[in-house]
Amino acid sequence: MTSAVERLETPPHASVRGWPWVLACLVGLTFAGWLYLSLMVADMISVMDMTEAGPGMGVFNAFNIYHGLPAEARAAIAALCLPTSVATFGMPAETWAAVDVAKVFLMWLMMTLAMMLPSAIPMLKAYTRSIDKPSGNARNGIETLLAAVGYLTIWAGYAVVATGAQWLLTLTSAVTPMMAPASMAFVATILVAAGAYQFTRAKKACLIRCWYPRFAFADRKGVVAAYKEGLVQGWACLGCCWAIMTVMFAVGLMNVIWIVVLGVLMALEKTLPNNWLHVLIGIFFLGWGFALIALMQAGLMY
């Protein structure tokens, strides 16, 4: 670890060369992700019972006709206002066509921009320092952006897999038209699996790689090396965060409250080297999942 940290030590001018405009691009992409997700939620609010979108989302019913209504009344109205009868921005139909696959993929891609790109900023800044050359701002900035593209390529692959998983879960009715889990058994399974992964060697190895990034191609010139570096760092990040990201299936895919919570958790976990945060996250998911299982066994939840 010491050698990895030493490799990140750079002269004072290194953080200036090419980094400000790269940061502006990263912030712009993150904002684009959040804007897209916000527009999706905003379009849903006026016609849907937001409690169906996942835990905590009921607060948005203060802005629609469902506010203050009992659960039975909300269910009766919602039966008439699901995506099959009301088209909303970015939401797929109950029966998917090619355009719905594209919508869901775009949703997942925007989710990765909103949740994962901010957590990569420290790594990309360290990469900018590691490739600092007298060649000027432009080249260093371009190489860092290409590393970011490589990083996002990995998460775009995750978006493809998540889109396929969502399609299969929708076909089997495990996920509702509101893109929320249809049963507590499904929720508990996701939570227990995600919690268990937090204690694996793969998780710890990838987490350490995120804490102390080692740049395999930093001593090589050119855009290809920069893109390859982004792929390497993206794989480490995926190995660290895929399970937490997949918790979105358990809390509702358009649950912006949990998008914020999980995004912050992943950013803190990746940027603050410690031996307890990932353990606490694992305990939380396991405790939540086993509590749901206990309630189902007692017949108090289905």
Side-chain angles (χ1 to χ4, degrees):
M1 291 185 185
T2 302
S3 60
V5 174
E6 289 174 351
R7 281 195 289 272
L8 297 179
E9 293 180 352
T10 54
H13 70 280
S15 62
V16 177
R17 195 185 302 270
W19 175 248
W21 71 272
V22 171
L23 179 61
C25 291
L26 299 176
V27 171
L29 288 172
T30 301
F31 176 77
W34 278 111
L35 179 61
Y36 186 89
L37 297 176
S38 298
L39 290 173
M40 285 188 68
V41 172
D43 207 27
M44 294 165 60
I45 288 174
S46 62
V47 295
M48 297 181 182
D49 177 11
M50 296 305 292
T51 59
E52 298 295 325
M57 289 294 285
V59 298
F60 291 104
N61 278 344
F63 306 101
N64 62 26
I65 61 175
Y66 297 94
H67 182 57
L69 294 176
E72 295 79 6
R74 293 200 313 269
I77 297 174
L80 304 174
C81 299
L82 289 173
T84 51
S85 58
V86 177
T88 60
F89 175 77
M91 285 281 286
E94 188 172 7
T95 302
W96 287 21
V99 67
D100 299 296
V101 175
K103 285 181 179 180
V104 172
F105 170 74
L106 185 58
M107 178 196 72
W108 277 103
L109 188 62
M110 293 298 105
M111 207 178 296
T112 62
L113 291 180
M115 298 174 74
M116 302 313 308
L117 194 54
S119 72
I121 288 176
M123 178 273 293
L124 292 169
K125 186 174 183 179
Y127 181 67
T128 302
R129 292 174 175 174
S130 72
I131 62 171
D132 183 54
K133 308 180 186 78
S135 55
N137 293 0
R139 175 158 186 159
N140 290 344
I142 290 172
E143 290 184 6
T144 303
L145 281 181
L146 282 167
V149 171
Y151 175 88
L152 290 174
T153 298
I154 297 299
W155 280 103
Y158 174 87
V160 171
V161 174
T163 299
Q166 186 178 337
W167 176 64
L168 290 174
L169 292 169
T170 301
L171 284 178
T172 57
S173 299
V175 170
T176 70
M178 284 284 283
M179 298 192 288
S183 71
M184 286 299 106
F186 178 65
V187 173
T189 300
I190 295 292
L191 291 173
V192 170
Y197 183 74
Q198 292 292 107
F199 297 92
T200 63
R201 291 184 178 180
K203 166 71 180 192
K204 190 60 180 293
C206 292
L207 189 56
I208 292 173
R209 184 65 178 267
C210 290
W211 288 342
Y212 308 105
R214 299 185 298 276
F215 300 113
F217 302 98
D219 58 341
R220 303 184 188 181
K221 297 180 180 179
V223 296
V224 174
Y227 180 75
K228 286 182 178 179
E229 194 64 69
L231 293 176
V232 171
Q233 300 302 323
W235 273 115
C237 180
L238 181 67
C240 176
C241 299
W242 72 268
I244 297 179
M245 188 74 166
T246 305
V247 170
M248 288 304 303
F249 279 106
V251 296
L253 298 175
M254 282 313 303
N255 192 328
V256 291
I257 295 173
W258 276 94
I259 288 176
V260 173
V261 171
L262 296 178
V264 170
L265 281 179
M266 288 186 286
L268 291 176
E269 189 183 55
K270 287 177 59 181
T271 57
L272 299 177
N274 63 83
N275 292 317
W276 53 268
L277 182 56
H278 71 284
V279 173
L280 291 179
I281 294 172
I283 291 172
F284 173 71
F285 288 150
L286 286 173
W288 188 0
F290 284 125
L292 292 178
I293 292 172
L295 289 172
M296 287 187 290
Q297 290 293 324
L300 300 176
M301 189 172 286
Y302 302 95

